[in-house]
Amino acid sequence: GRDILSSGGSAADVAVAVSLALSVTKPSSASLGGGGICVVHDVEKNVTETLDFLPREPSSISPSAVQPVAIPGTIRGLAVLHAKYGKLSWTQLVTPAETLARFGNQVSRAFAYDLLRMPPAAMADPEFRKVFGQGKGSGIVREGDFFKQLDLSAVLGRLRGRGAGDFYTGLTGRQFVAAVASSGGSLNIKDLRAYKPLWRPTLKVRYIRNVTFHFPLMPGPSSVVAAQVTGMLIEDNDWDDYSPAERSHLLAELSGRASYARGRWLRSDGSTAAPPQSLVSEDALKRLIEGYQNERHTPLPNARSGPAQALGNNVGTSFVAVDRTGSAVACALTLNNPFGVGR
């Protein structure tokens, strides 16, 4: 990322290069077979927007499939980001990751920890062990081991030379679909070709003067809940005067209110029953924080005991890039589970 900035690249260029590098150094969380979401701020146009390239459900799943496979969005999402906000060539952004995979890198503690958490069934898979079983003896790679991925380097080289479209409409895409089928999954080449990243506005919470918080607009409750908690903190406006204990109490109360409130607007498919921006309006935030007491817990009416079912997970990795002009990109990448389906 620093090298890309030094070469005159934009924040979007950094996001593309870093995402591809992470597919080499931390494939448990960020991979060519996954997806993600970015909040992009363009300082010249004063525009902030969401780019959604999350993995999506295929149109149909074969009855013979052992494990369903989502449609990957990483490569096309990064290509769309580069096309709109990039300054350097696509080749300049792919080459560092390709080189890293070909000549190797040291396994990080974070990646080594993810490998140790893999279930025995995945570790017994011969293809999985072929990639990650390069440690001393017959074990898998561990922290500090030097790790090369020649097959991944070849794929990145093909994407560098032929462009991102090769993964969706070209030879790489056809090989990927065939590999999914041979490993017990199900993915239609038409779904792969039809995949499109989505540009959306952001969810906005005004703070003071010219300061606005932007949250990615995406399926699921997490952005709205985070925006509501932030908005209620602004509405309370006494954070600086609170003791550490009072701050902890405030965060617990507001988080609980936002989490329980989602039962009124969150649909089972992850969409919202009301326009997302209306859920963080001044009136909505005042209703949420109404009755808050700083000295004790305030029970919520009709609140269920125990945690609510979550429509999401915390499996992934994230980063922020800011360039010399002040433009910025914040991305979160995911495979939905560690190593996706583990194939």
Side-chain angles (χ1 to χ4, degrees), residues 224-236:
V224 173
V225 170
Q228 287 180 334
V229 171
T230 303
M232 285 189 283
L233 284 170
I234 296 169
E235 193 72 27
D236 180 76

Side-chain angles (χ1 to χ4, degrees), residues 305-323:
S305 60
Q309 181 181 0
L311 291 176
N313 58 58
N314 61 352
V315 177
T317 187
S318 57
F319 60 86
V320 179
V322 183
D323 63 30

Side-chain angles (χ1 to χ4, degrees), residues 203-222:
L203 196 58
K204 302 175 183 65
V205 176
R206 180 60 62 88
Y207 182 38
I208 52 173
R209 296 175 187 166
N210 295 325
V211 179
T212 300
F213 289 94
H214 291 268
F215 297 83
L217 201 55
M218 60 184 185
S222 56

Side-chain angles (χ1 to χ4, degrees), residues 29-191:
S29 304
S31 145
L32 304 183
I37 196 155
C38 297
V39 173
V40 185
H41 174 68
D42 180 58
V43 73
E44 294 179 3
K45 298 178 181 178
N46 195 26
V47 171
T48 307
E49 53 188 340
T50 304
L51 175 60
D52 176 353
F53 53 99
L54 290 166
R56 302 212 184 105
E57 185 178 349
S59 58
S60 62
I61 300 173
S62 170
S64 62
V66 177
Q67 194 163 19
V69 176
I71 309 167
T74 295
I75 299 170
R76 189 161 272 176
L78 297 179
V80 165
L81 178 62
H82 174 254
K84 189 168 186 177
Y85 291 110
K87 292 183 178 179
L88 302 183
S89 70
W90 175 255
T91 298
Q92 286 175 277
L93 307 181
V94 181
T95 298
E98 179 190 357
T99 302
L100 198 61
R102 176 172 298 160
F103 295 105
N105 65 285
Q106 280 192 301
V107 174
S108 67
R109 178 172 298 177
F111 179 49
Y113 178 71
D114 286 347
L115 278 170
L116 290 174
R117 289 191 299 162
M118 286 301 291
M123 300 307 300
D125 179 68
E127 290 297 321
F128 195 93
R129 295 192 69 85
K130 176 183 173 183
V131 177
F132 302 110
Q134 301 177 14
K136 296 176 181 178
S138 60
I140 58 172
V141 291
R142 298 184 179 275
E143 181 185 352
D145 285 349
F146 202 70
F147 180 40
K148 294 181 181 181
Q149 299 173 83
L150 298 181
D151 287 343
L152 178 57
S153 175
V155 172
L156 287 165
R158 190 180 293 172
L159 294 174
R160 169 182 52 77
R162 301 184 182 181
D166 191 62
F167 189 86
Y168 293 87
T169 61
L171 176 61
T172 306
R174 294 193 295 273
Q175 289 179 334
F176 179 71
V177 169
V180 168
S182 66
S183 63
S186 173
L187 188 64
N188 191 312
I189 187 67
K190 293 182 179 179
D191 286 338

